[in-house]
Amino acid sequence: MSDFQNAADYFGCNVFNEKVMRDRLPKNIYKSVMRTKQFGIALNDEVADVVANAMKDWAIEKGATHFTHWFQPMTGITAEKHDAFMTPVEDGNVIQEFSGKELVKGEPDASSFPSGGLRATFEARGYTAWDPTSNAFVKEDTLCIPTAFCSYTGEILDKKTPLLRSMEIVSEQALRILRLFGNTTATRVTTTVGPEQEYFLIDKKYYDQRKDLMLTGRTLFGAMAPKGQELEDHYFGNIKQRVLDFMKDLDRELWKLGIYAKTEHNEVAPGQHELAPVFTTSNIAADHNQLTMELMKKIAQKHGLYCLLHEKPFDGVNGSGKHNNWSISSNDGQNLLDPGDTPMKNLQFITFLCAFVKAVDEYAPLLRISAASAGNDHRLGANEAPPAVISIFLGDELQNILDAIEYGKPVKENSDKIFEIGIDALPNFPKDSTDRNRTSPLAFTGNKFEFRMLGSADSISCTNVMMNTTFAQVLCEFADELEKADDFKKSLKTLLKRTITNHKRVIFNGNGYSQEWLEEAEKRGLPNLVSTVDALPHYIDKPYVEMFEKFKVYTKAEITSRMEIHLDNYSKIINIEANTMIYMAKKQIAPAAMEYSKFICDSLISKKNTGLDSSLEEKIARKISGLNTELYNAIENLEASRNAAKEREGNIQDLARYYRDVVLTDMQKLRKIADELEMNVPEKLWPIPTYTDLLFTV
Ligand code: ADP
Ligand code: MG
């Protein structure tokens, strides 16, 4: 316990952070590194050698024997290739070495990482390059160096590089706006993120008995437990001791890595929990979220638990998401999405807010794409997560202000005082928006936006690339217009009014889960890209490609490759799920039903022989045998549709569509019958753990 209380003593103890660098590096070297961190100025070889050496000594003291360039390829998880610090020397001995070159650049074999069409077109080999803005750390016995991953011809092959680029352009464009408001002090603007992470914990011994969980991360079969989440007795409820122990252990390990895990609580579904970190710079938040997911999995196992990060592990209970809380701040200490205390500050806030609204309206499909995955398709629009339509919740106070700007009418301040709104005078509005609409995909929550569509297993990088780039694009348009203006305030007024009029359709303050909203959204012309397969092809819509190329976030080839990787992945996932279902149905479920059938038939015969009434046995035998025949037909049907998918393999979009429309539907048919069988076969004959076992035994 004392260990836990003294968190400050060991927070960040496994991180090569600024304090460690200040202590261990010569002053001039330390300064060079700080310059690199802040302004991206490359380190020269000598400096890199000194830094690498200090890093190695520090890591060895922490027990490290190896180092790795830690990167985030398109698989969505992190990759590491461990090299020992050891270098052989002449007399047969070894010395422990780590050079500046090894720190700055690495060469993993890139050919096995997904690269879409890029590998065919360009050189396959790639290299990793140190990202000095994210600190190196020791994990287990390895010094991990956060890196970006590119091909030798410069194509990006990872999730970090575009995120770093998108942060750069937000900074450039936001500074232009700040200058127009007379700010001369800020020199850098940073996007910040606090991703709340949902997950399930189940007993490891049950996990080990479920092929579907092991191979696909979700249950492909399973009748509803007699109890679900209807009593809402789990949400923020007492945390069970075993889970508490896990959470404490997790917090401790995260803190050692300098990850500010702050809140841990139960979520809505039984067995579901959430971890919220304190927000930090976007790229570090992305690195930290990857590490958090990795540690959740590892530490759960130590406690005899298994951590499920899939978006929809169980049918009929809520799935898991990741809330991406996003904001921007300048290095002179302002949160640019924080309504200010003075009218001028307010006006600056309204300008950033309107830019955000416009960005979301114009580029909604890109945000939708960033949350698109086979797993998340089960969640979006299912009354537990926002629908696939992107809209923004602003709340009443802000809505009043925008209305006032649009129509030039007075607003009520603090519900009694009438405030004449003009561009020189905006009322003060409450800073904390207490009206928490939980059904909106994108909600303003006081000084940040919370994007709630993202799936729990996804990297947060893509979402933030989209938010940053589209926001920067609109800030750029605003700045282009306003910098030319003779009368700044007048032009701003015109710009804001026009922006609100043209883009208010994306604002919706009502219940996002309702059917009426979907109808209303359609009337407003908002895109409703229901599934991953609908969303992904929009990646390469012309205006998006132009925007990404203009800001050098992605080239057309890079975006196309991303689309292809994701579509291909979608098909592969459903194929694996179908295979797993066929396996389980044939080798576990059907045999169990047959065994029961045999048992019933045996007892039927003996009853008949003794002249007892056997009508009940007959009834059960008919039911089980009938269901099992149906099951077998459904298996064969699924096998046929899965095999037919092979014929479509040439066309990536066509194939994904086929998996969604045909294979998924056949999977659902099979599941329905199997789940009914489960309700009719004795517990002791049922071959796999039930939903009650999985959800209520931790
Ligand atoms: P909730 O009601 O959703 O739990 P909180 O205010 O506790 O709301 O914040 C949730 C998340 O938002 C936390 O991870 C927090 O660190 C993050 N957050 C707060 N301020 C910012 C900010 N300026 N930028 C990005 N994320 C933020
Ligand atoms: Mg939240």
Side-chain angles (χ1 to χ4, degrees):
M1 192 63 199
S2 61
D3 175 31
F4 197 65
Q5 279 164 346
N6 296 332
D9 293 346
Y10 62 86
F11 185 85
C13 69
N14 288 341
V15 184
F16 194 72
N17 56 24
E18 285 179 27
K19 184 180 175 306
V20 179
M21 286 190 251
R22 211 181 311 117
D23 291 350
R24 291 181 173 245
L25 295 173
K27 212 170 192 165
N28 58 331
I29 304 274
Y30 171 74
K31 277 193 181 148
S32 298
V33 178
M34 286 304 124
R35 268 203 306 278
T36 301
K37 272 170 98 70
Q38 277 164 15
F39 308 107
I41 301 162
L43 289 184
N44 69 38
D45 291 353
E46 279 156 53
V47 176
D49 274 334
V50 178
V51 178
N53 201 46
M55 234 186 226
K56 177 207 69 188
D57 289 344
W58 169 83
I60 288 173
E61 282 167 33
K62 297 272 161 202
T65 51
H66 289 68
F67 70 93
T68 181
H69 275 202
W70 185 80
F71 60 104
Q72 299 166 33
M74 296 301 300
T75 51
I77 49 172
T78 50
E80 17 190 286
K81 183 186 120 207
H82 296 202
D83 282 306
F85 285 124
M86 234 86 80
T87 309
V89 285
E90 274 170 9
D91 56 2
N93 278 325
V94 289
I95 50 164
Q96 293 194 302
E97 255 189 351
F98 182 51
S99 69
K101 275 207 189 76
E102 288 171 304
L103 164 65
V104 173
K105 201 165 177 174
E107 300 190 39
D109 177 10
S111 57
S112 297
F113 291 108
S115 62
L118 287 178
R119 206 182 321 141
T121 346
F122 305 101
E123 159 130 46
R125 281 191 326 140
Y127 68 92
T128 49
W130 181 32
D131 164 20
T133 62
S134 185
N135 291 324
F137 54 91
V138 168
K139 185 163 62 78
E140 282 149 5
D141 56 1
T142 303
L143 168 67
C144 300
I145 300 147
T147 54
F149 179 39
C150 307
S151 79
Y152 264 96
T153 37
E155 284 73 35
I156 47 177
L157 298 171
D158 71 343
K159 300 200 172 214
K160 185 190 265 283
T161 313
L163 181 58
L164 289 170
R165 288 190 192 171
S166 75
M167 289 168 68
E168 280 308 308
I169 59 171
V170 170
S171 182
E172 276 164 33
Q173 301 306 326
L175 282 174
R176 289 175 69 192
I177 301 287
L178 287 179
R179 295 286 180 263
L180 286 164
F181 278 90
N183 181 314
T184 52
T185 48
T187 53
R188 190 164 179 86
V189 168
T190 318
T191 53
T192 52
V193 174
E196 298 163 78
Q197 175 74 47
E198 291 180 339
Y199 60 97
F200 278 88
L201 288 177
I202 60 171
D203 198 307
K204 174 78 163 58
K205 75 169 181 275
Y206 292 129
Y207 170 84
D208 288 336
Q209 297 169 51
R210 300 256 341 191
K211 299 262 179 330
D212 47 3
L213 287 177
M214 288 167 78
L215 298 174
T216 73
R218 73 176 178 112
T219 55
L220 300 168
F221 297 103
M224 278 296 291
K227 177 182 166 178
Q229 62 193 45
E230 62 275 41
L231 294 181
E232 295 177 344
D233 51 355
H234 190 256
Y235 192 48
F236 279 89
N238 252 334
I239 305 179
K240 301 242 178 70
Q241 192 56 45
R242 208 165 151 205
V243 174
L244 210 56
D245 291 343
F246 157 82
M247 285 177 171
K248 277 189 183 172
D249 211 3
L250 175 64
D251 279 345
R252 204 176 294 129
E253 292 308 314
L254 290 172
W255 292 341
K256 284 188 198 163
L257 287 173
I259 298 172
Y260 308 87
K262 183 140 192 271
T263 343
E264 302 259 18
H265 64 79
N266 285 354
E267 261 300 322
V268 177
Q272 194 184 29
H273 311 279
E274 182 190 280
L275 179 145
V278 174
F279 70 95
T280 177
T281 321
S282 306
N283 71 314
I284 294 171
D287 286 357
H288 283 180
N289 183 250
Q290 292 297 132
L291 280 171
T292 301
M293 291 194 286
E294 184 186 324
L295 282 178
M296 279 177 166
K297 294 222 152 214
K298 275 199 186 135
I299 291 170
Q301 304 228 22
K302 277 201 215 153
H303 293 261
L305 298 165
Y306 195 86
C307 171
L308 298 172
L309 289 171
H310 193 282
E311 285 81 8
K312 192 72 181 174
F314 306 100
D315 243 25
V317 289
N318 279 8
S320 303
K322 182 138 49 190
H323 290 173
N324 191 82
N325 294 278
W326 179 94
S327 194
I328 51 170
S329 53
S330 53
N331 64 346
D332 60 354
Q334 305 178 60
N335 177 335
L336 304 182
L337 289 179
D338 201 345
D341 300 325
T342 63
M344 203 54 189
K345 278 272 155 63
N346 272 342
L347 196 54
Q348 182 185 300
F349 159 71
I350 295 284
T351 306
F352 282 111
L353 183 82
C354 286
F356 189 86
V357 169
K358 179 171 192 232
V360 173
D361 186 33
E362 283 188 342
Y363 300 99
L366 289 178
L367 274 180
R368 172 67 186 91
I369 284 168
S370 80
S373 69
N376 218 18
D377 275 4
H378 300 289
R379 207 180 133 252
L380 297 180
N383 266 344
E384 56 177 87
V389 182
I390 306 266
S391 66
I392 301 179
F393 167 86
L394 288 182
D396 293 339
E397 299 94 4
L398 272 183
Q399 188 62 58
N400 283 342
I401 307 253
L402 294 197
D403 289 347
I405 294 173
E406 188 182 3
Y407 303 113
K409 65 177 190 197
V411 288
K412 280 185 183 170
E413 190 186 39
N414 301 331
S415 71
D416 42 13
K417 201 171 116 203
I418 302 288
F419 198 95
E420 276 305 326
I421 200 159
I423 212 72
D424 285 319
L426 285 176
N428 280 323
F429 26 92
K431 276 193 184 160
D432 191 49
S433 165
T434 45
D435 186 359
R436 293 284 174 96
N437 181 317
R438 296 270 162 201
T439 63
S440 176
L442 199 43
F444 183 70
T445 52
N447 60 6
K448 60 188 186 294
F449 277 97
E450 181 172 31
F451 181 60
R452 304 198 178 109
M453 279 173 95
L454 200 52
S456 49
D458 253 333
S459 152
I460 64 168
S461 293
C462 184
T463 283
N464 289 290
V465 169
M466 298 310 186
M467 289 178 89
N468 295 349
T469 311
T470 58
F471 187 59
Q473 163 70 20
V474 176
L475 292 180
C476 176
E477 289 164 15
F478 277 18
D480 285 347
E481 184 171 332
L482 295 171
E483 281 166 359
K484 282 202 283 275
D486 298 327
D487 182 338
F488 171 66
K489 281 192 185 157
K490 205 166 141 226
S491 305
L492 181 63
K493 191 172 176 179
T494 315
L495 171 72
L496 293 179
K497 195 170 144 87
R498 188 180 71 230
T499 306
I500 297 167
T501 309
N502 291 347
H503 300 289
K504 64 181 178 190
R505 65 173 191 160
V506 78
I507 301 171
F508 176 64
N509 295 312
N511 177 8
Y513 291 180
S514 68
Q515 184 56 34
E516 295 84 70
W517 165 233
L518 287 186
E519 286 157 23
E520 164 74 16
E522 196 181 340
K523 276 191 216 136
R524 294 190 190 184
L526 299 177
N528 182 8
L529 302 169
V530 178
S531 76
T532 296
V533 185
D534 301 311
L536 284 176
H538 289 283
Y539 236 137
I540 50 170
D541 286 359
K542 197 157 169 269
Y544 307 157
V545 173
E546 282 169 7
M547 173 182 65
F548 286 125
E549 292 209 309
K550 169 176 129 188
F551 287 123
K552 300 192 167 58
V553 172
Y554 296 118
T555 62
K556 179 157 191 206
E558 286 164 352
I559 285 197
T560 311
S561 85
R562 259 150 229 256
M563 177 188 75
E564 285 170 0
I565 290 168
H566 284 126
L567 275 171
D568 183 45
N569 207 27
Y570 176 88
S571 297
K572 282 180 179 154
I573 285 172
I574 297 183
N575 181 261
I576 294 169
E577 290 181 347
N579 289 340
T580 308
M581 280 192 101
I582 293 165
Y583 181 99
M584 289 172 75
K586 266 190 174 169
K587 294 171 94 77
Q588 296 185 298
I589 295 173
M594 279 178 200
E595 197 180 338
Y596 185 43
S597 236
K598 181 171 183 308
F599 172 81
I600 289 288
C601 289
D602 286 351
S603 109
L604 191 153
I605 292 165
S606 44
K607 271 196 170 176
K608 268 203 170 138
N609 287 345
T610 47
L612 285 169
D613 173 14
S614 60
S615 56
L616 176 62
E617 282 72 13
E618 226 176 295
K619 193 168 153 186
I620 298 176
R622 260 181 229 293
K623 169 126 201 175
I624 300 297
S625 166
L627 278 172
N628 217 14
T629 308
E630 275 184 56
L631 184 84
Y632 235 85
N633 292 339
I635 295 172
E636 283 173 356
N637 190 35
L638 179 58
E639 278 175 330
S641 58
R642 178 204 56 184
N643 294 344
K646 297 241 159 24
E647 288 152 32
R648 290 178 165 73
E649 266 169 10
N651 182 330
I652 242 175
Q653 276 192 40
D654 203 30
L655 181 67
R657 223 173 284 127
Y658 178 83
Y659 271 109
R660 178 194 62 188
D661 296 338
V662 181
V663 179
L664 258 184
T665 313
D666 289 342
M667 283 164 57
Q668 275 150 10
K669 284 185 200 152
L670 174 57
R671 175 175 185 152
K672 193 157 176 279
I673 303 161
D675 290 356
E676 198 177 340
L677 264 174
E678 183 185 334
M679 296 307 287
N680 286 282
V681 169
E683 201 173 76
K684 67 170 202 262
L685 291 182
W686 195 249
I688 53 177
T690 64
Y691 268 31
T692 305
D693 297 329
L694 295 169
L695 289 167
F696 293 98
T697 56
V698 168

